[in-house]
Amino acid sequence: MIHTHIAEILCVKPKTKKTKTMEEDVKNKKSKKTMKIEGEVVVMKKNLLDFKDTMASLLDRIHELLCRRVSLHLISSLQPDPANEKRGRLGKAAHLEKWVTKIKTSITAEETAFGVTFDWDESMGPPAAFVIKNQHRSQFYLKSLTLRNFPGGEGGAIHFVCNSWIYPSHRYRSDRVFFSNQAYLPSETPELVKELREEELKNLRGNEKGELKEWDRVYDYAYYNDLGAPDKGPDSARPVLGGSPEFPYPRRGKTGRKPTKSDPKSESRLALLNLNIYVPRDERFSHVKFSDFLAYALKSVTQVIVPEIASLCDKTINEFDSFEDVFHLYDGSIRLANGHTISKLRDIIPWEMFRELIRNDGERFLKFPLPDVLKQSRSAWRTDEEFAREMLAGLNPVVISRLKDFPPKSNLDSAKYGNQNSSIREGHIEPHMNGTSVQEALEQNKLFLLDHHDALMPYLTRINSTNTKTYATRTLLLLQEDGTLKPLAIELSLPHAQGESHGSVSKIFTPSEKGVEGTVWQLAKAYAAVNDSGYHQLISHWLQTHAVIEPFIIASNRQLSVVHPIYKLLHPHFRDTMNINALARHVLINSDGVLERTVFPSRYAMEMSSSIYKSWVFTDQALPKDLLKRGVAVEDPSSDNGVKLLIEDYPFAVDGLEIWSAIKTWVTEYCSIYYKNDRTVQTDTEIQSWWTELRTEGHGDIQHESWWPSMQTRDDLMETCTIIIWIASALHAAVNFGQYPYAGFLPNRPTVSRRFMPEPGTKEYTELEENEEVAFLKTITPQLQTLLGISIIEILSMHSTDEIYLGQRDSPNWTADDEPLEAFKRFGKSLEVIENNIIRRNNDKKLKNRSGPVNIPYTLLYPNTTDYTREGGLTGKGIPNSVSI
């Protein structure tokens, strides 16, 4: 209390002798009806975990004692400011009360509520916004302001949901303004708020030159020109992705770093252990998320730890000798040689990472939790049924398509690549088709294809010039009467030895269970899995969720005001995405990064994803259209989603269509509240600017494609918002959180193949005959890359303890409008129904693809809306609102 009294004494203003004019002012003010408005401000102070700044709290207390405080001014919605009639009048300054006694620095950042009292002229009406000024030395996180017992407020209260870092005022060119939680279309915005609304958007667009700083609030676009490190030499250089017909790509967030010395088109990179890549401060992880993520980010620094691990362990990290050797990673891990080894590791690895790697036993290195794929059986993963089932319910269930023509055809340019059509013939597959002919199976929609041939073939010569030795694969499957898929053949293709214009050379492998033929078949499945793993990580996961959604985040913040209804709808689905993408560019997808070291396309990985982006279509990301395009569904006007699945037991599609329908209903109900007709969409200036910039800037390399919605109708807006939410939430959950359950055991989902299929008469073939496990393990991902790969995907598969799931919001006061709140409750109820449907389907033994031979119930699209325990870790369920990991 003594600190408070000192502050009060020091901050008392000297008495001024009243003049006649001042007396008149006082008399005039008394004639107006003033009232005291009590409020509560919730803040979170910077803390040791984030900043290691033990002096911050002390210095802020000193500033308080010197009257350099945190002040707030309410802004009138009715009375204009005498100095600027386009803006509402500012009320008297109010200060946060008892800062000195309430705030303290702690290891964890905790919320603190402060009282605040405003003197307010009743004639100024309800405040529409407020200005906050931070005269302290350090920043704090402003969560909310709530005004209590205000006449006309909802339940007597007016809510300002802020969720923003407030830096000292001298860091900003203009005041920090926050609006109440009332939503307005641009044309319906109160006159005295319009200029503030427009100015706030201008601040977020920014015009800063040079490197952006942590307190800058600028959202802007840049090419992917920060992946390479050309100053290290040509081997570390990578092409700029975006801005050219050769390498088109979605845009990323701008950082403004200087160009490299050797290539002015490439942006310089931060030091490997410096994770302070610029993203707007409010897009950065919370302190909880950052601590959860820290171990993952540090583990990714393979350039530092790879050579050290190899030299320090008592066993050469090179090859697994058997599957039991792999199982030992989960049973007992790798024992380090001695205490000196541990000491040496601690010298080269940051403590947070060291603690995570060592786990609970200080002498054991890289002990991993048992992946779900091994929990019931250590051999079920090798069955053909499980191999095929994972195309429907595994970590990449978004590629399989129906075969419409036999043999499979290529879409590659024959003038450039020659004949790339499949060499699979009836004679290869009909002996395995349960008595059905190829023609009958085609007519009955029973033949399906996992086709990675065209995506890989143009890059295969270059990929195989590295340590990788792999094929472009096609896997043909039959839909059986019990609803399961049966592999019929796997085609392994290489470019012709005389050049790619001469077409491809292919080998066909068919199912076998015994002898060397059975081993060869297992290897053929491994090559197909390598293709699928690389495509999953680069395309299904990174490109089609992480990369494509970032331009929507940037455009939304630049063109949609925080009070815009569509901003309020979409904003939860952008949480943490820019931060995780920036970190991915820093340590995962960069040159010599984790992805290049652990996934087969190696240095050509991102370049290959650019090639696939050329054929990306936004509107096809709608799940019903995706299923129709892949031929796994047909149109059915009588169904809720307008489609009928041809594989009835397709867990991803069955659960996904229910989620899609729930999202679409929620979006339709929400948008209908604010947009009564198409004209409302057409005249919404912010929506039109948003959509134009999204196409011409954010996805500028494909802006002229005819499939972009015109954004002239309510249907355009509703479908667009539904697709954005689907991609950010359910689609990402489906392709991300199954990584460790299935690929945590890398022989099930190898990411690299290091030698070609052994030929009869070679020593490799003899080895294959004598010891199939050794031959298999020598072909796929080696031991060191396995350790690093598993280490990364474990963290990628984890839910943060502060995760916010689909159907949840970070504040119950996200809008002041009752209709949206009621619609959102209905959305939550619909997700609860879907949860029960998923549980029921998983318990139905007739649906064999729901769990399969490995007995992993399909829960990747289980919404998890009713679990408020904030369970983190490898839960294998839950749909986060956003691409947050």
Side-chain angles (χ1 to χ4, degrees):
M1 292 297 294
I2 190 169
H3 292 300
T4 306
H5 292 317
I6 294 173
E8 290 172 350
I9 293 169
L10 288 175
C11 292
V12 170
K13 293 182 180 180
K15 291 184 178 180
T16 306
K17 184 178 180 181
K18 288 186 178 181
T19 64
K20 185 176 181 181
T21 304
M22 291 178 67
E23 290 174 350
E24 289 174 353
D25 286 343
V26 172
K27 184 178 181 181
N28 289 335
K29 287 178 182 177
K30 286 181 179 178
S31 67
K32 298 178 181 178
K33 188 174 182 182
T34 60
M35 57 182 176
K36 298 282 187 183
I37 301 177
E38 300 296 329
E40 180 184 77
V41 176
V42 178
V43 307
M44 184 176 69
K45 198 66 179 66
K46 62 186 288 188
N47 61 86
L48 292 175
L49 178 62
D50 285 344
F51 303 96
K52 297 187 174 72
D53 187 354
T54 56
M55 291 296 294
S57 182
L58 175 61
L59 291 172
D60 287 346
R61 286 173 180 164
I62 294 173
H63 279 63
E64 279 282 314
L65 295 174
L66 296 175
C67 303
R68 299 185 63 182
R69 306 171 69 181
V70 176
S71 64
L72 297 88
H73 296 259
L74 298 180
I75 301 176
S76 171
S77 60
L78 297 180
Q79 283 192 13
D81 188 330
N84 182 352
E85 293 190 351
K86 292 183 178 181
R87 298 191 179 194
R89 180 179 172 184
L90 285 179
K92 288 184 178 180
H95 299 90
L96 298 190
E97 299 163 4
K98 300 182 181 179
W99 179 283
V100 174
T101 56
K102 280 195 173 185
I103 279 289
K104 62 181 184 298
T105 300
S106 62
I107 294 295
T108 59
E110 298 176 355
E111 294 179 2
T112 305
F114 292 91
V116 62
T117 303
F118 297 93
D119 289 326
W120 188 248
D121 185 339
E122 191 172 313
S123 66
M124 293 171 69
F130 74 90
V131 171
I132 187 167
K133 297 181 179 181
N134 176 13
Q135 300 297 335
H136 288 176
R137 184 180 182 277
S138 57
Q139 66 270 30
F140 60 88
Y141 186 78
L142 176 64
K143 187 171 183 179
S144 63
L145 164 65
T146 302
L147 303 181
R148 307 291 187 193
N149 302 316
F150 192 95
E154 53 174 299
I158 297 178
H159 299 280
F160 300 80
V161 179
C162 307
N163 291 327
S164 184
W165 284 92
I166 308 298
Y167 279 78
S169 295
H170 71 273
R171 296 294 188 189
Y172 300 123
R173 295 181 180 178
S174 58
D175 291 337
R176 293 299 312 276
V177 176
F178 293 92
F179 300 91
S180 74
N181 62 345
Q182 179 66 55
Y184 299 105
L185 292 175
S187 60
E188 298 171 351
T189 308
E191 285 299 320
L192 298 182
V193 179
K194 284 183 177 179
E195 187 175 273
L196 286 173
R197 177 176 182 154
E198 293 167 2
E199 183 178 274
E200 178 68 1
L201 285 174
K202 289 179 182 178
N203 290 335
L204 294 172
R205 292 177 200 134
N207 57 3
E208 280 74 5
K209 305 297 182 183
E211 185 170 357
L212 294 167
K213 305 300 182 183
E214 66 175 80
W215 49 82
D216 288 324
R217 304 170 57 237
V218 173
Y219 293 80
D220 206 349
Y221 304 96
Y223 301 138
Y224 276 71
N225 63 349
D226 61 343
L227 302 179
D231 290 346
K232 291 183 178 180
D235 287 345
S236 295
R238 296 293 180 270
V240 173
L241 304 184
S244 69
E246 184 180 8
F247 300 119
Y249 220 64
R251 301 299 186 257
R252 64 169 175 91
K254 176 183 176 181
T255 67
R257 293 196 300 266
K258 294 179 180 179
T260 61
K261 295 177 181 178
S262 54
D263 179 10
K265 294 182 178 180
S266 293
E267 186 174 275
S268 57
R269 294 177 53 78
L270 298 179
L272 196 60
L273 294 178
N274 183 353
L275 301 181
N276 290 317
I277 312 101
Y278 173 80
V279 293
R281 186 65 182 89
D282 294 343
E283 301 294 337
R284 299 190 72 169
F285 292 161
S286 69
H287 70 287
V288 173
K289 179 64 172 282
F290 182 74
S291 61
D292 286 348
F293 182 80
L294 189 59
Y296 148 64
L298 293 172
K299 281 182 182 179
S300 302
V301 190
T302 59
Q303 295 92 322
V304 176
I305 69 171
V306 168
E308 299 292 342
I309 295 174
S311 65
L312 292 174
C313 293
D314 60 351
K315 176 181 177 180
T316 301
I317 297 184
N318 185 19
E319 300 288 353
F320 291 109
D321 297 322
S322 66
F323 288 136
E324 283 298 323
D325 211 5
V326 184
F327 297 147
H328 196 56
L329 290 175
Y330 319 105
D331 297 334
S333 72
I334 300 171
R335 181 174 291 277
L336 300 180
N338 50 48
H340 173 71
T341 300
I342 295 175
S343 176
K344 183 66 163 60
L345 278 172
R346 288 198 60 173
D347 288 341
I348 63 169
I349 301 175
W351 164 243
E352 293 85 352
M353 179 180 180
F354 180 80
R355 180 180 59 196
E356 187 68 17
L357 293 176
I358 296 300
R359 309 293 173 128
N360 297 324
D361 182 346
E363 294 184 354
R364 293 195 176 275
F365 179 65
L366 291 171
K367 181 179 180 181
F368 298 101
L370 188 67
D372 289 352
V373 76
L374 295 178
K375 286 182 177 178
Q376 294 293 317
S377 167
R378 295 200 168 184
S379 60
W381 65 274
R382 303 192 74 182
T383 63
D384 287 358
E385 181 182 343
E386 180 60 26
F387 171 71
R389 187 194 73 90
E390 290 182 20
M391 301 176 197
L392 305 174
L395 58 85
N396 194 28
V398 295
V399 179
I400 189 172
S401 61
R402 176 167 57 90
L403 186 65
K404 299 176 183 178
D405 298 297
F406 186 86
K409 291 180 173 57
S410 170
N411 292 319
L412 292 175
D413 182 0
S414 59
K416 184 175 182 180
Y417 296 105
N419 180 14
Q420 295 288 340
N421 293 332
S422 175
S423 298
I424 300 175
R425 298 294 181 264
E426 287 90 341
H428 292 119
I429 63 174
E430 285 191 343
H432 306 279
M433 292 181 61
N434 305 334
T436 304
S437 70
V438 169
Q439 187 58 37
E440 289 171 338
L442 283 173
E443 292 172 355
Q444 297 169 15
N445 297 324
K446 298 291 187 183
L447 288 178
F448 293 85
L449 184 68
L450 185 70
D451 190 352
H452 293 301
H453 181 279
D454 285 5
L456 267 64
M457 185 57 69
Y459 285 88
L460 207 50
T461 298
R462 282 173 285 175
I463 289 171
N464 285 338
S465 69
T466 67
N467 292 330
T468 294
K469 299 294 179 283
T470 197
Y471 301 91
T473 68
R474 292 184 177 104
T475 303
L476 196 58
L477 307 107
L478 175 70
L479 178 61
Q480 302 186 105
E481 293 301 319
D482 64 356
T484 63
L485 291 174
K486 179 183 181 180
L488 299 175
I490 295 174
E491 181 177 32
L492 306 181
S493 302
L494 290 170
H496 198 284
Q498 295 180 9
E500 60 184 17
S501 63
H502 292 270
S504 60
V505 177
S506 301
K507 295 179 181 179
I508 312 300
F509 299 89
T510 55
S512 182
E513 295 182 1
K514 297 180 180 180
V516 68
E517 293 82 6
T519 304
V520 168
W521 174 243
Q522 291 294 331
L523 278 178
K525 290 194 295 183
Y527 288 116
V530 167
N531 273 198
D532 198 53
S533 293
Y535 191 93
H536 162 261
Q537 203 63 275
L538 286 170
I539 310 304
S540 304
H541 184 202
W542 166 257
L543 174 65
Q544 294 179 349
T545 62
H546 284 261
V548 300
I549 210 70
E550 186 162 356
F552 288 91
I553 301 171
I554 300 170
S556 296
N557 281 280
R558 287 169 56 87
Q559 300 297 341
L560 298 179
S561 167
V562 294
V563 299
H564 196 289
I566 299 303
Y567 183 91
K568 288 179 177 289
L569 172 69
L570 296 179
H571 183 252
H573 305 287
F574 299 153
R575 184 177 187 251
D576 292 341
T577 304
M578 290 188 72
N579 201 166
I580 191 66
N581 285 3
L583 290 167
R585 298 196 313 271
H586 188 57
V587 295
L588 283 181
I589 62 174
N590 58 302
S591 63
D592 303 317
V594 171
L595 199 90
E596 288 193 2
R597 288 173 174 267
T598 58
V599 179
F600 77 88
S602 188
R603 62 177 292 131
Y604 303 104
M606 292 301 292
E607 186 177 331
M608 194 178 87
S609 74
S610 167
S611 176
I612 303 299
Y613 175 63
K614 294 176 184 178
S615 59
W616 181 78
V617 177
F618 172 72
T619 49
D620 285 349
Q621 307 312 301
L623 182 58
K625 288 187 179 180
D626 168 60
L627 297 171
L628 290 170
K629 186 175 183 179
R630 291 191 281 123
V632 295
V634 292
E635 292 185 355
D636 181 7
S638 66
S639 71
D640 292 340
N641 292 289
V643 299
K644 177 184 177 181
L645 292 173
L646 295 177
I647 305 174
E648 293 183 8
D649 184 14
Y650 186 171
F652 162 74
V654 173
D655 297 359
L657 284 171
E658 291 189 356
I659 297 292
W660 169 268
S661 181
I663 294 172
K664 186 169 185 178
T665 299
W666 152 237
V667 169
T668 300
E669 291 184 359
Y670 181 88
C671 290
S672 297
I673 295 168
Y674 299 98
Y675 296 90
K676 301 302 183 183
N677 50 51
D678 294 343
R679 180 68 178 163
T680 324
V681 176
Q682 297 163 12
T683 57
D684 186 332
T685 54
E686 289 185 8
I687 282 291
Q688 295 305 320
S689 296
W690 169 67
W691 193 240
T692 298
E693 182 174 288
L694 183 280
R695 293 190 337 269
T696 60
E697 296 287 340
H699 284 279
D701 296 333
I702 54 174
Q703 62 180 289
H704 299 298
E705 298 292 341
S706 60
W707 43 256
W708 284 108
S710 61
M711 203 53 69
Q712 294 298 299
T713 67
R714 293 201 310 166
D715 286 344
D716 284 345
L717 179 61
M718 292 168 183
E719 184 76 356
T720 294
C721 292
T722 303
I723 293 173
I724 292 170
I725 294 172
W726 164 259
I727 292 173
S729 59
L731 181 59
H732 179 258
V735 298
N736 183 74
F737 294 104
Q739 290 188 84
Y740 195 81
Y742 287 101
F745 179 61
L746 224 59
N748 184 54
R749 296 286 300 180
T751 57
V752 169
S753 53
R754 296 175 285 154
R755 62 185 189 182
F756 295 121
M757 181 70 80
E759 298 284 350
T762 63
K763 67 176 184 178
E764 289 83 7
Y765 196 85
T766 301
E767 183 180 56
L768 184 147
E769 291 177 306
E770 294 175 351
N771 192 329
E772 63 167 309
E773 289 191 8
V774 169
F776 185 94
L777 292 167
K778 280 188 176 180
T779 301
I780 65 167
T781 317
Q783 188 175 16
L784 179 56
Q785 286 168 284
T786 295
L787 297 176
L788 297 172
I790 295 174
S791 176
I792 295 306
I793 65 171
E794 180 196 355
I795 308 300
L796 285 176
S797 303
M798 287 187 174
H799 287 287
S800 173
T801 51
D802 71 343
E803 198 71 83
I804 302 174
Y805 293 99
L806 193 64
Q808 300 174 352
R809 302 283 297 219
D810 60 357
S811 170
N813 302 310
W814 60 274
T815 181
D817 298 331
D818 291 333
E819 285 186 84
L821 291 173
E822 290 302 314
F824 191 66
K825 287 180 182 178
R826 292 193 293 273
F827 177 46
K829 293 294 184 183
S830 69
L831 293 175
E832 291 179 23
V833 171
I834 294 171
E835 290 178 351
N836 292 327
N837 291 343
I838 291 173
I839 293 172
R840 175 180 51 78
R841 286 192 289 266
N842 284 344
N843 290 332
D844 188 344
K845 300 302 180 185
K846 295 178 183 178
L847 301 176
K848 294 187 176 182
N849 296 327
R850 298 296 305 190
S851 298
V854 295
N855 196 24
I856 304 177
Y858 190 73
T859 56
L860 293 176
L861 290 178
Y862 183 88
N864 209 35
T865 57
T866 56
D867 182 3
Y868 295 100
T869 61
R870 296 294 185 187
E871 179 187 8
L874 297 170
T875 65
K877 65 178 181 180
I879 302 175
N881 269 327
S882 60
V883 181
S884 58
I885 188 66

